[in-house]
Structures are given as structure tokens and as C-alpha cells.
Amino acid sequence: MPTEDDLEPGVRAILGTPAAEGAGLVDQPACCADPRVTAQLTDDRPVEQALPWRIDNAEKGHVIVVPGGPSGLIGGLLSQVHPPQSFSHVAIMTRDRVELRHVTFSEERLRRFPHRAGSEGDPGLGIPLPFVPELNDAPTDGFQELPLRHGWPGTITQTVERVYAASHERPTVTDTDGKTAPDPAWAEYDPHSGRAYFIDAITLTPAWLPVDQPDGSRRMDIVWPLVVKPCQQWETDRVRDALERVADAAKALRGHYRFYAYTRAEIGLDDTYNGVVTLETTIPDTASPCIGRRPAVPTPSTRAMVCSSFVWLAVQAANIRATASTPPAPRIILDGRPDRKHRDDDRAGCPSYFVRHPLTDEINPSTRDGLYFYRPQERLDAAKWLYDRLRTDVLDEIADATDLNAQLDQLIGTDGPAHSIWSLLKLLSVFTVPQAALLLGISSELLRRLVVILTDMPSDVANQMCNALANDDCQWTAKDSDQWTSPGEGYTVSPDDIVAFWAPPTYEDDQVVHGLYGSNDRIRLKPPEWTDAAPPPSVWTLSLGSCAVYGTVTFQGQGVAHARVRIGSRKLRTGQGGTYSREGLPEGLYWAEATYRHPVSGLWLTAPGRPVRLPLGGAVQLDFELHEPPDSRREVIIGAHMDLVNRYAIGTDWWDHPDVQPEVVYLGLDYFPPDNPAFAQQREHSLRRTVNAPPQRVDDWGNAEYSCDLEIQPDRSIRVTCRARLKADDDDPWQQTDTFDVPPKANEADPGYLHIVDLVRSPDAWPVRAHIELTIHNNRA
């Protein structure tokens, strides 16, 4: 029987110190980690606390894929390839349910580094903009090379709680100048720009996107973020170990966001593309022989990557580590073709939430495993879209700049022929600069400066960004180059490629594991909730030997095959009849739980966790009964389609048909107790919420918008009070208010509740109209 004296001094020193519940060997804060030392529960009672935001069905090594679509920059870019792609961002889970890691860049931070004529070797002269103070820092000549080439923050680890706060709640504070700024508790600080930024690339709510249907058509549908994982029935111990090795490798990678990695993903393996240090200033020492937590050293440089190539690079790093380990671990093969075939029963044997289309991609002899071939024409189509989109984005930002519009009002007047940015652009499309200046009553020189803002600045930004993507040219000269129109071939991996093409578990032995993923499920996001049965604290403890466990996992009295059982850091799967058994688990006190995705309802079933003691040298029976989530907790999805028109007495009417992206609210009768004042604010937040939809622009007239109050009722229905208006000015009143109840849906796949609003302004002249179709889903959370 081992004693503390048998342990290496560094391991002995951690005994009795705090450990994360479920921590494993690689988490030990000691160089020579010892498998005899485990994270064990104390004898304290289970803890009363508010659980944080978490993704219930995501485990360490699983990949989170976020929908994009044409409304976002990267999502829109990827929607232009063939076939159009639906997802725009990727992360990898580094802790079950609560923590993930990814690589991204902050557009807001990039705007803080405009290129200036006369700098970076540019001999040109800048255009002063004294009449538009807000735009004095605008990238009128593109961006500085270094911040564009080495995107910040690069690699970053975030809790799910932090992700939700940054992308959905966006808490702010008021700085010393009276301006609103991101709350530093939920944002990341950049010393080079002297500001903090929300890192919000990961959104945990669905998007409204065109989706391929089984009949070959495409129609708009709700697309959720996905958890990409192995199928429940095909996950083995080797597959689980490989997933955790990839997650551990991802934690050790340091990278900057490099747009060119969407052309050549393998540049992340080439030291000549290494860049400056971004957010993470330390890195685990790769030269260290430690098998536990490696000492941190200053980050020397960062690898070039984008979000999807980051996961691919983590697999390559895991394979390098596997070769050096003793004994060597199996090498991971992500795709394997053309040498290795995927399993024949891929889709039929393991249906996914988002339909996969395996084996429909392109691979040529130059394609590395896990990467895919993109033809020059589809890359050109995507680049042209990006160019147009960037120009439009810059113009939109100019149009929304309060100071610029205010200055135009002073220069031109609100009743003149150009009362907004868009009307000024229309005017310049018809008249020359001198003619337009005469009509506006301003000097030609002043109008020429405006033309710089409205034409040269958008094209400079678009050219430079497109060249960064196509050929890695981020220099100031790229702003005037159209070299991006010859983008060449691409060898990379996109989020959709990971979903559709990476192989499911197909074959394994001591040398290789072929396939880690191949299945997906929509994320099961869980909001904060009160519990009086959270795991007690854990500490590092010497385990005195081993124990055997066995048991059955049931649902409604029937055994459940392929359920997951976790005991401490050990994860097991049930076989036929719902039974499982395992020998050699370390003796001690651990938290035990069981989970399972129901193949029909799609609900995530759980068995309440509990402390269990594994006796030395004995065997213990641990049975679990799974339960559906309570129907008193609701997932409310509200989105809309609008038909907008501005009619003209002369000329062509203006039309638009925007889809308002869905918002998700979690309401419940019992998320927090009614009689505990410590949780009174959180309980109120879980009973009723307000959803304010983003305004939708109506030509140059104004906006259409709605706002809805949601409140859960005792019968599980949601009482909705919606206000809607066509708004020319901020103080315009709401035109229509409706109150109605949305009943619970029997099945998640059932259609939502439809509520229609019709609005009109100026009915006696040439009207502005809005037809709004609100769709509200009341699902079990």
C-alpha cells in the first residue's frame, strides 16, 4: 500500500491543496504527476450555489461550431463557396460543459490601428477631416500592417459564462470621461491600444439561415450552434483519450489570427509565418519533460491560424506528442481518404441534428489529412463578395457616425437634396463633384474630402482585407492592389468541413485512431440555476489502491445503452441493457453522474450527481436513473421576418425583406427558490425578460422595430406583450401593442406560434409600410 513517502517531493507538496472536481493527471500542479494522486471530494456536505452558464452536452475535446450566414463577415464569406456554408466559428471544449478555447480577432480593436499616409513607408499625403472629428481616427488609408497580419487576441480560453456575457449581455461601465466602455470584469485588456474589448466571436444562440432540405431545395430555418462529437455508440476508450489529448494540445498552442490561413491552413506549421505575441504572454514550456502541469515561460511567438485551422493544428500537435510519449499513443487520423474509407453506416448508423454530407468534398494529392481543396473560381466568388461587403460595411459605419451626420446637417441642412449619407451618395451618382457642390451650397474642395470618405476609404479597406485573405499581403500598398482577384487554390479547413467531412470513429489499434467526430447535436445551453447539491470541494489526495465498479443506467425503468457515466475523472459508456463495469479505478471519494441524449426527443437526460466512495480492493454497484429536464423550464425563441417598403411618387419603390435573427430567453418557474433573498434578482430575471430586436433600416426614411416582454405562466405558457413601430425619430411612439399567450410545444420540431403585425406611416401620401411576422417557440429547456 503506497504512502506519502513514496511520492516525489513535488507531488507530495500538492496533497491537501484544492483541485477542480473531476481533474485528471494532466491537471496536477506538479511536474512529475503521479496517477496514484487523484482529485477527491472532501467530506463536506454538497454545496448550495448558483450554477453558471454551461453547455450540458459538451465534453472536453468536443468541438463547438457556431452558425454564421450572410449577415456576418466570415459567415458571409463562407456562404459564397460551393456549396454555401452555414457555420463561421469554431472552438474546442477544454473542460466538460464550462470552458472552451478558440482563436479569433477583434474588429473593434483593429479599427484602433488605421494606417496613416506618411507612415509605414507610405509617401502620400493624408486628407485632413477637421469637420468630422469622430472620423479623424478612421482607416481612410486602410489599416496598419502588423495589427492586420497578426490578429488580436488570437488564442484565448473562456468560460461559457464569460462567452455568454461578452456576446449576449455585454455589461458596461462608465469611464472617467463619461463614456460607456466594456466592463473590465468581462472584457480583455489590450495594452497596445489601451482599451478593453468584448471577445464575442462565439454566440450561443441560433441563427436564421438558408438550409438544404431533403428534397434538394433550400429554405430559411433555425440553425443552432453545434456540438461536434463522436456518435454515442461508437465512442471507445481510445477515442475518448484522443479527444482529451487534442484538447490538452489546444491549451498549449499560442496563435494569432491570420486571414491567410483560410487559404493555406498549414502555414500554422511553418515557423516563417510565426508572428508577434498577442493576448497570451506565457506558454507551457514545450521543452519541459513534465507529464503534469508544465512550467510557464514567456511566449516567444505565435502560430498563424484561424478558428477552424486551430483545431486542426491541435490535432497535429497531439500527434507529435503521441510519438514522443512512452509508450507511444495512437496517431489521430481526421479524414484518412483516399487511403482509408469512412465507415459504411456513417449517416444511417448515427443521425446528426444538422444533416451531414460526407464524401461530397474535394481532395487532391496535395491535400493534407483533415484539410480540403478549394478551387480558384469559388475563392474568387467569395473574395468578390467580401470586397463588396467590406465597402458596404464601411459606408454603413460612416452613415451611422453621429458626428458626421450632425456635421452634414450643419453644412448642408436637413431639408436639402442630401440630408443623409445615402442621399448624398445618390446625388454623387448623378452629378459631378462641382455640380453637386453647387446644388448643396458648399465648396468643391469640401465635397472632394467627403468623396474620399465615401469612396476611397471603403475601397482601401476592402482591397487590403481581401489581399490579406488571398495572398497574405497586409502592407499599406495592398489598399490599391487588386491582386486578390487571382486568389489561386486553397488548402484549408472550414467549420462546415469539420461538421460534414471529418470521419466518425471507424478503426483503431495501438498505432492509429481513425475518426474522432462524425456526429453533431445542437448545443443544450443551461442558464444559471440554484442548487443545494453541487459537488463538495475537491483536494489532491493519495489513493491507496484500486476498486471495481459496475451498475446499470435506466430511463423510465429500462436500461439505456450508450449512456455516459462519469466517476471523478473517469468516463465510461454503458453497453446493451444499460450495464457497465470497470476495474482498476482509484480508491477514494468522487462525484458520480450519468447523462444521455434521447434519440427521439433530442432531450439531454441526466441522473442527479452524488458523492460515491470507491472502497479499497473491493467492488461497488452504482446504478443511475435518468430524468428528462423539468417542463417548468422553458427555452423561448423569438424571431421575425419583415417585408418593408418605402413608396415613391416618382421612380422605383424601395423594398427589403430582412430576417431578424432569433433571440433565445430561458424562463423557468423553479430556476431559483422564491424564499431566498440572496437569489431574488436572479429569480426575477428567470421569470420575465424583455427582448429588444435590432432596428431594421427602411431606405433613408428610418427604421422598423419591435420589443417584446416575456413572462412565464403557471401553466408553462409564455405571456408575450409586443410593441412595434415604424420610427423616423427616436421619440416616435409605439404604433401597436398586442398581448397574447404562447403555449408549450409538444415537440421541439413543431412549428412556432405566428403573430403578424402590419404598420403604415404617411398613409395619405406615399406610405412607408412594414409587414412583420413574429415567430415564437416555447420549447422545454
Side-chain angles (χ1 to χ4, degrees), residues 334-356:
L334 291 171
D335 187 311
R337 291 173 293 154
D339 299 329
R340 294 175 180 267
K341 294 183 178 180
H342 294 197
R343 55 191 310 146
D344 295 332
D345 57 351
D346 182 354
R347 284 195 293 175
C350 186
S352 288
Y353 179 86
F354 189 85
V355 177
R356 301 174 65 242

Side-chain angles (χ1 to χ4, degrees), residues 473-555:
D473 186 359
C474 303
Q475 300 179 81
W476 67 268
T477 52
K479 66 187 177 68
D480 297 315
S481 169
D482 64 357
Q483 188 61 38
W484 59 266
T485 58
S486 300
E489 299 173 338
Y491 296 91
T492 189
V493 61
S494 71
D496 279 65
D497 292 336
I498 294 173
V499 173
F501 306 137
W502 281 4
T506 300
Y507 174 83
E508 63 178 54
D509 58 26
D510 290 341
Q511 280 72 48
V512 299
V513 172
H514 177 201
L516 290 187
Y517 298 103
S519 178
N520 66 75
D521 189 17
R522 56 150 288 191
I523 65 167
R524 296 289 170 180
L525 186 64
K526 296 297 181 182
E529 64 177 284
W530 175 85
T531 179
D532 59 358
S538 293
V539 296
W540 293 108
T541 305
L542 175 63
S543 177
L544 302 179
S546 63
C547 170
V549 296
Y550 64 95
T552 304
V553 178
T554 55
F555 175 58

Side-chain angles (χ1 to χ4, degrees), residues 29 464 472 507 521 560 623 659 666 735:
Q464 191 183 26
D472 204 34
Y507 174 83
D521 189 17
V560 176
D623 296 329
D659 292 300
Y666 293 89
Q735 292 174 262

Side-chain angles (χ1 to χ4, degrees), residues 96-114:
D96 291 357
R97 301 177 185 168
V98 297
E99 182 185 87
L100 49 76
R101 185 165 170 80
H102 59 123
V103 62
T104 185
F105 86 106
S106 167
E107 293 181 53
E108 184 183 356
R109 191 255 189 185
L110 180 62
R111 293 191 191 104
R112 301 291 174 184
F113 295 92

Side-chain angles (χ1 to χ4, degrees), residues 674-716:
D675 53 356
N676 190 330
F679 298 107
Q681 184 176 2
Q682 289 162 297
R683 176 170 171 79
E684 173 67 20
H685 201 63
S686 69
L687 293 174
R688 54 190 64 87
R689 296 284 299 278
T690 297
V691 171
N692 296 309
Q696 302 298 308
R697 185 171 62 86
V698 182
D699 197 15
D700 57 1
W701 177 87
N703 297 293
E705 63 182 16
Y706 64 85
S707 174
C708 296
D709 300 329
L710 311 173
E711 182 176 4
I712 189 169
Q713 303 299 302
D715 64 356
R716 279 62 169 164

Side-chain angles (χ1 to χ4, degrees), residues 168-185:
H168 300 282
E169 296 174 338
R170 303 182 71 82
T172 58
V173 295
T174 302
D175 63 20
T176 54
D177 297 328
K179 295 183 178 180
T180 298
D183 185 338

